[in-house]
Each structure stands twice: as structure tokens, then as C-alpha cells.
Amino acid sequence: MNTPELCTYMTQGAVMPFCKGCGHSNILKKMNDALGKLNLNPNDVCLVTDIGCIGLADALFDKVHTVHTTHGRSTGFATGIAVADKVLASSKLKTIVLIGDGGSMIGLLHIVNAALMNVDVTVIVANNFLFGMTGGQTSSLTPEHFNTVTSPFGSMNPSLDICQIADASKAGFIARKTATDKDLTDVISEAIAFKGFSIVEVLELCTEHGTKRNDLKGNMLLKMAEEEGHKIGVIKNSPVRPEFSKKYETDVNSHKGEIKPLKYINPKFIHNLKKPNGIIFSGSAGERVQSTAAMFAEAALMSGLEVTQKNDNPVTQGSGFSLSEVIISPEEINYTGVASADYVIVVSENGLKEIKSQDVFNRLNDRSIFIVDDSLVIENKGLNIISLPLRKYCGGDKAAVGAVDYVIRKFEPFPHEAFKLLLEKRFGEYGKIFKEEYYKL
Amino acid sequence: MKMNTTTKKLALRNGNQMTAEGAIKAGCKFFAGYPITPASGIYKGLIDLLPLNNGIAISSPDEISALAYCVGASMRGVKAMTATSGPGWALMIETVQYAMITETPVVICVVQRLGPCTGGATQGAQGDILITEFASSGGYTIPVLYPTNSKECYELTVEAFNWAEKYRTPVVLLTDKEVGMTTESLDYNKLNAPPNANRHVITDHDADYENWKMYGFDSPDMIAKFAPVGGKVKVTATGSAHNAKGYLKKNDPETLATLKHLEDKIQAHRDEMVLVKEDHEKDADTLVISFGITARTMKDAVKKARAQGIKVSSLTIYSMFPIPKKAILKAAKGCKNVIIAEENINGQYRMLLEPLLKDFNIIGINKLGSMITPDEITERIVTL
Ligand SMILES: Cc1ncc(C[n+]2csc(CCOP(=O)(O)OP(=O)(O)O)c2C)c(N)n1
Ligand code: SF4
Ligand SMILES: [Mg+2]
């Protein structure tokens, strides 16, 4: 069996690129030992490094896959790697993130979500309480009163407890250690072996910026954490939640059969349309305006016509107006707006307001026909308006259905049978969809 | 009633749905999404389609994560895609550059809506052309394809994956609210997508393995073979300037050459990346150029102008970037006027074509907040 001394993942004789005494060196050595302890095949290890001094680590490891990423985003890239590996590939990979306190602050959401997903990723947070690489500025993990180059009188805020954040994100393995702890190798190897998300925060000192401004020694790290109210040691080791790919198997993959297949349409009828027709449907949200337009479009397609349907509604989909512009045509349709409407269907006050604001009265031709609910008043002169008690006979939720059914019955742009087929599929027997009086219109 | 007996396979589909189906055809196995109108349909489409096609679609907590997940998945060796609109693209810009510098194939669909900022979520626009293309520090070319209808969404999504794989680069499939969300009739039997291309993967028993480098090249057109994370060949990837082996280096000649190669490789292949449709009319004085939803308007406008006896040509541009300069000059040859129609206030593509078309009378047709109409283009053609 390989011993830590025999199995090294770090380049032989690698020179640490850090300042003298920097805690990062220790963390990397311990991580290397942890990999050795687990005797992992180097091809099955991916080290994903963040930005900052700690991010320089990738260049020290010449055996394992290394992916040096952007500031704070390492856990995001690692999540993609781990999900693809576990669900779509060999499922052998151990993905390890090395990130600083600064990186874990800007990329906090990636850590939170990786923990929630319980992806098989280990995040090692090298916490030296400040941004080392950029000159020692404050991060969210800087303890209160800690002196940094940007908090020369001491940091004003308490430090973020990233282990508690991980706990709140349901991480299964959480530890807070210091870089000089004798058992750091064991804790890191436990974290890597953990099936699912694990996080190890390692407290350490930046000798260049931290110790120069604060009266600190390595053995004071524990006291600092305590003062901030942060727990030490292995805080949680609970492998109860299934790792992401297992959960995906039970929660999604096993339901594949329930996914609706794509719908295709059989052209069963023959239309008799010579020129494109433009129809504007306008009404209120929640009153089936766009779905009726879609039914009309489908019936037209069943009759061999080309169709486009362009919808419009306010940002909140469930309130205000709802509008569709449908073109049916014997030839290819290019411009998808209704420049000149052959039919304008208006079934509510919201709908009327909207066609005014969308300038529909200037988008008419000499054949344009309005089908409007009889509760609405259109004052414009010289229009061909058919006013019908649609809301009364069909109900508000089917007024648009009744209106377009009327258009197809009376003007036959394509066989009414096509539309009737869809209506019956959706609402049952045609003669019973609306009130009796409707059918006499 | 007589039954129509055709061999068509018809459906009503919008551009977003066909982008999702195109991704499946292209061999996409991974999608990560974050909701945003007008792009959410692609997300929903792939949530349904990927599990049925041995893939996975997941939800991300923001757009930076969405793209980072995709890049990670692609590094593991699978084809990956995400979709967003202007505000989400703004968040992705750092990560797209990471894909670029690490030469990781990935496709990002950007379905444009009205900007700036949150702008108009349910309003169409073509105002993200510049921010899409010029999203990298250093100004490297991001290949961009732009379909005009749902059929082309399918076909160009496949092409976008092919480019991403062949040239090891992020590729943007640019669409707009109208193309993405307008439902239209579609005959599946007429879909005409190219065959799928796949990245060339290095293995340790390849003849060229000894000399292989992560980002190596001997000539401008060379694309290094790809090594997936988790494979037998060690991956050394970094978003920092690096030498051909992937190690961070500052300003040594090899590192600068490796950076320059990111652009050179695209330029070396630009003639293979030309997708345009020319509707040429002999002796035309005017050429109209457009793309996306406005290219459809242009077609109707040109038909109307010709019906009035005017000689006019048109050019639909699908491969927006690299700019298909030769194809544009060829289409403009013999014309006096070039009209460029696009739904934004400043004529974004026109600005880029101006130096190329300096010998022509250039006219922009621009609009904010709603589609340019056929008459608005016809009137300009006729009054020239
Ligand atoms: C988006 C972005 N913002 C800022 C930076 C600049 N930057 C480089 S390193 C660094 C700080 C890293 O601090 P930390 O993560 O704590 O690592 P350390 O250097 O302390 O090891 C910053 C802010 C960057 N690279 N990217
Ligand atoms: S600046 Fe600080 S964190 Fe960076 S190498 Fe030096 S001691 Fe380490
Ligand atoms: Mg730090």
C-alpha cells in the first residue's frame, strides 16, 4: 500500500510560491498527504483552484487534473465537473476545490448551492482572514477588530461563519481546523472520502499582511475563532443525504416515462384560403386568449395552412391584458406582426384598452371585421363591428373561444371541423360548451 | 370533407423549443439554466428533453453558476449549453472569457429583449449585438450565429455546437424575443441540420501524444486536441495567461503567442464560418442587409418594392461573427446603396460594417420597442 511519503501528488521538489511562513504551504502539504492516504488514482482527482495566493496551488500538482478558475467561481466549475462525471461519465472523479476566504465570500452562492445539491465536491477554504494576493484587504471572513490594509482601525463587522452557512445549506461534512493541526491530513482525507458535499475551513495566517498588522501567533487562531463564536473541529459528519447523482436517479430519471412526448400535427383538412389572414385576439389575462389563439393556429395547421402566433402580455403573466397576433397563410410567412388585421377579436375592457395602445385601429384594411363583446363600446366610425353577447353566452373564460368559433363558422378561413375537433378534445361535446343561445348566433 | 394526404411531419413550435431540440440533435448532454424571459422556454424545453436523451438539465442559482456548471461539464467531456437574455449575459461575461481562454467548447443562447438593464422583459429588441460580441477583455472574437425562425433555430443550434467543438471556443446563438417566442408552423421533414461535429480527444496511445500540449499549435489554424478532466491525460487548465502546456506565465513569448492564437485560430477558419442567404437581383442599385426577426421583415419589404418595379437585392446574415466580410462585399457589388435594418437605436451592426462599406451610401433603419415593419423598409428602398 502507498504511504503518504511514497504517493505524492505534488510535483517532486516543488517550490512553494508563497511568502515565508504563509499558512497556505501547510495546507497544501496536508492536502497532498490526504490524497496519499486515500491512495487515489491521480487521473481520478481534479483539483479546482480559485484566485488569490491559494489559487497558485494548481501549478504545484503535476499528477492530478488541475483547473485554475476565476475569483470565487471555483465551486461552480467544480459542480459542473462533478455532476457531469457522476451522471454522464465514469463516476470516479474526486473533485476538490481550493479557495481563499475572499473567494468564498464573492462565490458564496456557489458553495451554498453545491451543498444544497450535495454534489461530490470537497471545498477547502484557506482562511487567512484577508485578501492576500491583492495586498491584505478586508473580506467577509475577517474577524471584528482585525487590522487589515482597508480596515486600519480594525474591521468593523463580525466575520461570517461559513461553516454555519454550510450547515444551513445541509452540507453533510463540515469541519473547521487550523493549518498546523496534527490531524489536518486525516480531516481533509475524511472530507474527500465523504460521498457528497464536504467543506473544511482551515484557519491560517498571512505572514505578509496579517501578522504584520496584528499581534498574532499561530496558536492564537483558536482563540480568535472562539471569540467570534465559531466552532472548531469536525462540526458535522452525517452522510444521510444521498449524493446528487443518486438523488437524480430516483427523483428525475425514474420519472422519465411521465414526460409528455412532443406533439405533432396531422394535416387532415383542406383550406380554401387564397391570401394571408391576420387575426388579433385581445382580452384579459387568465381568460384563455392566447390558448384560444393557439387552438386556432393548430386548426389552421391541420388544414394545411402556414401559421405564426406572436403573443404579448405585461411582465406579470397573470394580470392585465393578453394579446395574440396570428397569421394564417397559404404561403410562407415572413413578417410575424399583423400589419393589417382581417379579424379583430376583443372580449374584455383590458383587451380594448390594449388594442388602442397597440395602434390596431391604424392596422386595418377595408375588409377588417371586429368581433367584440357587447359590453364594450368602440366609438371609431366606419368599422365593420359585430357585437355579440360573448361573455354572457360563453362566460368570461370562454368568450375568446366563442368569438373565434364564430369567425370560423361564419367566414370559413378553413374548415370549422378542424377547430371543432380541438374544441371537443378540450371541452367535450361541441353543443354543450356554450349556452344554447350561442349556437343560434 | 376531403382528407389531405401529405407526407409532412408538422408541428407548431417556437424558436426556443427548436433551439432545445437542436441541442438534442447536436448531442448536447448537459444544460444549466436560470429563468429569464424571453429565454426560459429553452430551459424548460431541455428540462423535459435531456432526461429522455441520456442527458441532464439542472437549475442554477444564478447565471454565473449556470455557465460555470456548463463549462465544468464540458471540461469533463460532454457537450453543454445554457440560455439567457441581456441581464443574464451581463453576469456571464467573466465566465464566457474563461471558456474562451481555456478553449472549452460551450454554447450560450442569448435571446435578446429590450434593454438597457431590466428593460422590457416581454419586448423584443436587437440591441445586444455589440455587448455579445465585445464581451472579452482584449476583444477576442466570439463566434455568433443568429437564426430568423424556429426551423433555423434548430439548424443553427447544431451549427453552434459544431463550431464550439471544432474550434474549441464558446459560441453564442443569438436570437430575439420574436424569434424565440413566436410559435410557427414547421415541417420536420424540411429540417436541414448539418451532421454533428465532435471535439478531437487526445488519448495516451495517440501517435501525437508525446508532443501534445493542452493549448499547443504549430500553425494558426491548428486546434489542439481536447483532454477531458478525469481522462488518462492530465488536464492543466487556467483562466490566467498561460504557455502552451497550460501553466501560468507572465509575458514570455510562448504565452503571448498562445494568447494570440485564441484569435488567430478563429480568423484562420473564418471562411468556413460563413452562413448567409443572398437574394440577388440583377442590376439592383440597393442591397438590404438584415438578420434575426428583421430579416423576415426585409424579405416582405423587398417583395413589395420589387412589385413596384424597383430592383433591389437582400442579404440575410446568419453568421454574425466573425463578420462575413467577403460575402457582404460580394452581395453589395454593383450596388450604390446598402440599407442595414436592425431593431436597435444606434445601428450596432451597421457601425461595424461602415469601414467595410465605405464606398457605398449606407442607410440605417432602426427602431426601438417594436418590430420594424415591412413598409418602413419598403419606403426607404423606394425613395432612394
Ligand atoms: C472578479 C475579480 N475581482 C477581483 C479580483 C482581484 N483579486 C485577485 S486575488 C484576490 C483576493 C483573493 O483573496 P483570497 O481569496 O482570500 O485568497 P488569498 O490571496 O488570501 O489566498 C482578488 C480580489 C479578481 N481576480 N477577479
Ligand atoms: S501575501 Fe499572504 S497569503 Fe499571499 S503568499 Fe504571502 S503570506 Fe501567503
Ligand atoms: Mg485570503
Side-chain angles (χ1 to χ4, degrees), chain A residues 15 19 32 103 228 245 280 325 330 349 394 438:
Chain A
V15 180
C19 307
N32 180 53
E228 292 285 296
S245 63
I280 296 175
E325 297 183 35
E349 199 62 58
C394 309
Y438 169 82

Side-chain angles (χ1 to χ4, degrees), chain A residues 137-407:
Chain A
Q137 298 87 347
T138 308
S139 81
S140 299
L141 274 67
T142 307
E144 196 171 352
H145 309 307
F146 194 80
N147 196 300
T148 75
V149 72
T150 52
S151 52
F153 314 112
S155 179
M156 289 170 66
N157 304 334
S159 62
L160 182 77
D161 185 339
I162 199 156
C163 292
Q164 270 205 42
I165 296 269
D167 192 27
S169 313
K170 308 287 186 279
F173 187 100
I174 306 167
R176 180 179 283 116
K177 302 295 293 175
T178 74
T180 49
D181 283 350
K182 293 265 170 328
D183 61 346
L184 184 58
T185 300
D186 299 336
V187 173
I188 293 178
S189 69
E190 253 186 286
I192 295 170
F194 188 83
K195 289 192 169 58
F197 182 83
S198 56
I199 183 167
V200 182
E201 179 188 346
V202 188
L203 308 177
E204 47 147 349
L205 289 173
C206 164
T207 43
E208 179 66 17
H209 306 294
T211 43
K212 281 185 187 161
R213 293 183 156 265
N214 298 275
D215 182 19
L216 278 177
K217 292 201 178 60
N219 59 11
M220 290 167 75
L221 290 169
L222 291 178
K223 202 164 148 264
M224 275 171 64
E226 261 163 39
E227 273 167 21
E228 292 285 296
H230 297 180
K231 285 185 194 155
I232 295 284
V234 176
I235 298 166
K236 190 173 171 192
N237 184 358
S238 155
V240 289
R241 291 177 62 213
E243 180 273 328
F244 176 82
S245 63
K246 303 275 179 310
K247 190 102 167 85
Y248 182 76
E249 198 48 48
T250 55
D251 289 15
V252 180
N253 256 351
S254 69
H255 292 276
K256 274 198 271 200
E258 296 159 38
I259 298 172
K260 268 201 213 152
L262 293 170
K263 186 171 153 187
Y264 300 94
I265 291 163
N266 275 331
K268 291 187 185 145
F269 303 95
I270 292 187
H271 71 84
N272 180 358
L273 202 66
K274 300 280 178 288
K275 286 169 68 176
N277 269 195
I279 302 100
I280 296 175
F281 298 73
S282 194
S284 300
E287 293 194 343
R288 286 205 182 93
V289 176
Q290 295 180 359
S291 63
T292 302
M295 229 191 271
F296 175 81
E298 186 175 337
L301 183 59
M302 282 163 63
S303 310
L305 288 162
E306 299 286 334
V307 189
T308 61
Q309 179 186 356
K310 167 174 146 71
N311 293 336
D312 196 8
N313 44 261
V315 201
T316 47
Q317 286 187 7
S319 68
F321 75 91
S322 177
L323 188 140
S324 277
E325 297 183 35
V326 178
I327 300 171
I328 57 176
S329 168
E331 307 133 29
E332 187 191 1
I333 303 164
N334 294 312
Y335 179 66
T336 57
V338 172
S340 137
D342 297 278
Y343 305 97
V344 183
I345 291 170
V346 194
V347 291
S348 77
E349 199 62 58
N350 275 329
L352 182 57
K353 244 196 261 164
E354 192 54 27
I355 63 164
K356 285 178 190 161
S357 99
Q358 297 208 10
D359 206 25
V360 171
F361 292 103
N362 286 318
R363 292 156 58 191
L364 302 173
N365 56 47
D366 44 16
R367 303 174 311 274
S368 300
I369 298 169
F370 278 73
I371 314 288
V372 298
D373 186 68
D374 64 0
S375 63
L376 305 171
V377 185
I378 296 180
E379 276 145 9
N380 306 43
K381 293 274 171 304
L383 295 178
N384 184 359
I385 296 176
I386 303 177
S387 178
L388 302 170
L390 293 163
R391 300 187 74 87
K392 208 159 120 204
Y393 292 171
C394 309
D397 63 333
K398 288 201 220 61
V401 186
V404 72
D405 181 69
Y406 180 89
V407 167

